Every structure is written in structure tokens, then in C-alpha cells.
Amino acid sequence: MVDSLKKPDLQELRPGVKVPAKETILTPRFYTTDFEEMSKMDISINEDELQAILEEFRADYNRHHFVRTEEFQQSWDHIDGETRQLFVEFLERSCTAEFSGFLLYKELARKLKDKSPVLAECFSLMSRDEARHAGFLNKALSDFNLSLDLGFLTQSRSYTYFKPKFIFYATYLSEKIGYWRYITIYRHLASHPENRIYPIFNFFENWCQDENRHGDFFDAIMKSQPQFLNDWKARLWCRFFLLSVFATMYLNDIQRSGFYAALGLDARDYDIHVIRKLMKLQAGFFR
């Protein structure tokens, strides 16, 4: 096999800095919303739960979790060919998605600071988590002699506008599906350590708890805004977002089935398992 297959050529902005993947309907999106509408939301009917979640965020259980171990300190040239390319794609897509969350949550924290302090602090602390995740993933890319210029990404990507209720639907599902994806991979590799091709997967058990807590926050927000859930239009929109998230996940993963095969997973079976777990979780929520 020629060397160009072992280390696929990837376009670079400058040496060692990867050109971001082309935007398509399946790539992670960057979002913006109506900050004024969100600042006027009355959260009083569920403020106790939101305050309890804020205390969880303040505890910062993963403050010392994302520290690279000696296991990273080696050459990763043995991950080559298609597997290397798919793994770089996985790291890039994951980093982009986490960074997208950081930008949205940071801006929400800034805009809501003087009008809705509980929500503002929650968004600020979630942006801390997302930045930590994105930085850890970008550092992992450096093991493959690449990185993302996150400043360039901020300026070059287009931003999708969603009304607040759609932001809540999309981010709630994204965070909860992230939990089930990460914990499923972690549990599989705990049972089959021979398929753990890179040490980042050792971090997924604690990492996914950040995703779970973020999802709980959006759950609590929507409970404070029953109009987002309880009429027929809301129920249709909820189903639409469920279908959209599942379809996007499935199409992305089937296109990259070789990555999951490298971990000893069947991409279709993996997605079906994640979908079933999320559907069971949502049985009493997105009705």
C-alpha cells in the first residue's frame, strides 16, 4: 500500500492546521437565536429545578477529568489508511459540534446576564464544559499532526437562526443523544478493550455525564415553558426534531461505518441501540 493511503492528504490552511470540512446538511451547525425573546421567559414555575441544576454545574465534577495521560505520548502512525481518515473526521466533527455549543452558550450567557441571571450562569457554565471538550478533541487531532483553527471556524461558518423553542428542542436532543452515543461506545470498549484504538475513549464515561446534565437543563427549561410542549403544533415540531436528529445521525454513521468497525461495532446496530434508548427516555416527554 502506498504511503499516500497510509496518511491521506488533507487540505491545510497552513502547515498542521486543517481546512474545515465543507458545510453540508449533515455537518455540525452553528446556531443563533432571538436573545430578546429568551430573556423575557418566565421560568418561575420550574425555577427550583433549574436552581438545583445550576448547583450541579457549579460543582464542576469533571474539572480534573480532561488531563491527557502518558498513554497519549506515542506515535499514532499505525492508525493509517481509511481508518486514519475516518478517525480524523470523527475528531473534527466532534470538536466542531462541541465548539458550536460553546459559542451558542457563551453568547446566551452574555445576552441574558442582566435579565435572567439563573439561565445566564447555567449557559456560562455549560460553555465552560463545551470549551473543555472542544479543546481536548483539538489536542487529540494534534496526535495526527493536525488541528482546527477555532477562531477561523468562528468567522467562516454560516449560522443557522432558530427561534428559542427550536434551539431547546435541538440542543436537548443533541445533548441526550451525545450521552447515549458516548456511554454506548465506552461500555462496548470496556468489554472489548482490544478494540480501544485510541485512549480518548477512556474518558467517555465521565464525559458523557456533562452531556447528560446539559440535557437535563434543557428538559427543565422546557418544563418551565409548557407552551413549547403541550399543544398539537408543539408535539408535531417535537416529532420533526426527533426524526431529523435520528436521520442525521444514521446517515452520518452509515457513511462512516468503517470507523465503527475499527471499534468492533456495527454502525447500524449501534444507531438502532442509541435510538431505542433515546425513544425510551422520551416516552413521557416528546409525546
Side-chain angles (χ1 to χ4, degrees):
M1 187 178 291
V2 299
D3 189 59
S4 62
L5 287 178
K6 289 184 179 180
K7 297 183 181 179
D9 290 332
L10 297 167
Q11 289 186 309
E12 297 182 349
L13 287 171
R14 53 187 183 275
V17 179
K18 186 181 180 299
V19 171
K22 183 179 179 181
E23 290 185 64
T24 71
I25 195 171
L26 297 178
T27 51
R29 296 185 180 186
F30 285 24
Y31 293 101
T32 188
T33 190
D34 186 332
F35 301 105
E36 184 65 21
E37 178 184 337
M38 200 174 292
S39 72
K40 294 177 179 177
M41 292 190 316
D42 179 4
I43 62 171
S44 59
I45 66 171
N46 202 35
E47 189 162 6
D48 287 347
E49 184 180 2
L50 285 162
Q51 189 66 50
I53 291 170
L54 175 55
E55 293 302 321
E56 289 269 302
F57 289 159
R58 287 171 176 167
D60 194 10
Y61 299 114
N62 282 336
R63 69 170 70 85
H64 302 305
H65 181 61
F66 293 94
V67 178
R68 284 165 59 93
T69 61
E70 291 184 3
E71 195 174 359
F72 287 93
Q73 308 308 314
Q74 59 177 287
S75 169
W76 297 100
D77 287 350
H78 61 279
I79 301 178
D80 58 13
E82 182 185 15
T83 300
R84 187 182 185 91
Q85 183 171 356
L86 290 170
F87 193 63
V88 166
E89 284 184 16
F90 165 76
L91 293 173
E92 178 183 2
R93 291 176 62 83
S94 299
C95 182
T96 302
E98 299 282 4
F99 187 66
S100 168
F102 159 73
L103 291 176
L104 176 64
Y105 299 162
K106 181 182 178 183
E107 188 66 6
L108 282 165
R110 189 177 71 85
K111 296 284 190 180
L112 300 180
K113 183 177 181 180
D114 296 325
K115 297 180 179 179
S116 187
V118 171
L119 294 187
E121 188 175 356
C122 285
F123 280 119
S124 177
L125 295 175
M126 289 196 300
S127 74
R128 170 205 66 199
D129 297 341
E130 301 288 315
R132 189 179 282 157
H133 302 165
F136 197 69
L137 287 156
N138 208 13
K139 183 63 177 177
L141 274 170
S142 71
D143 290 334
F144 300 86
N145 305 311
L146 294 167
S147 67
L148 292 177
D149 184 335
L150 298 180
F152 176 80
L153 202 61
T154 303
Q155 298 173 356
S156 64
R157 291 295 288 263
S158 58
Y159 287 71
T160 299
Y161 173 84
F162 274 174
K163 291 177 66 65
K165 68 178 179 180
F166 299 145
I167 288 287
F168 297 151
Y169 298 160
T171 50
Y172 170 77
L173 290 169
S174 175
E175 298 285 7
K176 286 296 186 180
I177 212 166
Y179 167 79
W180 281 110
R181 288 172 66 82
Y182 279 19
I183 197 63
T184 300
I185 289 175
Y186 177 83
R187 289 170 178 169
H188 165 74
L189 293 177
S191 299
H192 301 279
E194 70 277 8
N195 292 321
R196 191 184 291 119
I197 61 174
Y198 184 69
I200 200 168
F201 301 112
N202 294 330
F203 291 77
F204 275 17
E205 184 179 32
N206 285 30
W207 189 332
C208 73
Q209 296 305 325
D210 283 344
E211 314 293 337
N212 201 37
R213 281 186 286 270
H214 294 183
D216 289 344
F217 167 73
F218 287 109
D219 181 322
I221 285 186
M222 287 189 283
K223 287 176 181 174
S224 79
Q225 309 297 310
Q227 72 275 16
F228 291 168
L229 296 172
N230 291 342
D231 65 25
W232 67 270
K233 289 183 181 178
R235 286 191 287 272
L236 285 177
W237 276 117
C238 290
R239 291 189 178 112
F240 169 78
F241 273 86
L242 272 172
L243 179 61
S244 297
V245 168
F246 290 157
T248 301
M249 178 185 72
Y250 185 79
L251 291 172
N252 272 317
D253 288 348
I254 291 300
Q255 289 177 8
R256 296 165 178 85
S257 60
F259 168 73
Y260 296 96
L263 303 181
L265 286 164
D266 179 274
R268 183 177 181 276
D269 291 344
Y270 168 68
D271 277 16
I272 289 173
H273 172 79
V274 171
I275 289 169
R276 284 175 174 164
K277 288 294 186 181
L278 194 61
M279 287 300 295
K280 184 177 180 180
L281 180 68
Q282 302 319 309
F285 191 69
F286 282 160
R287 294 183 293 272

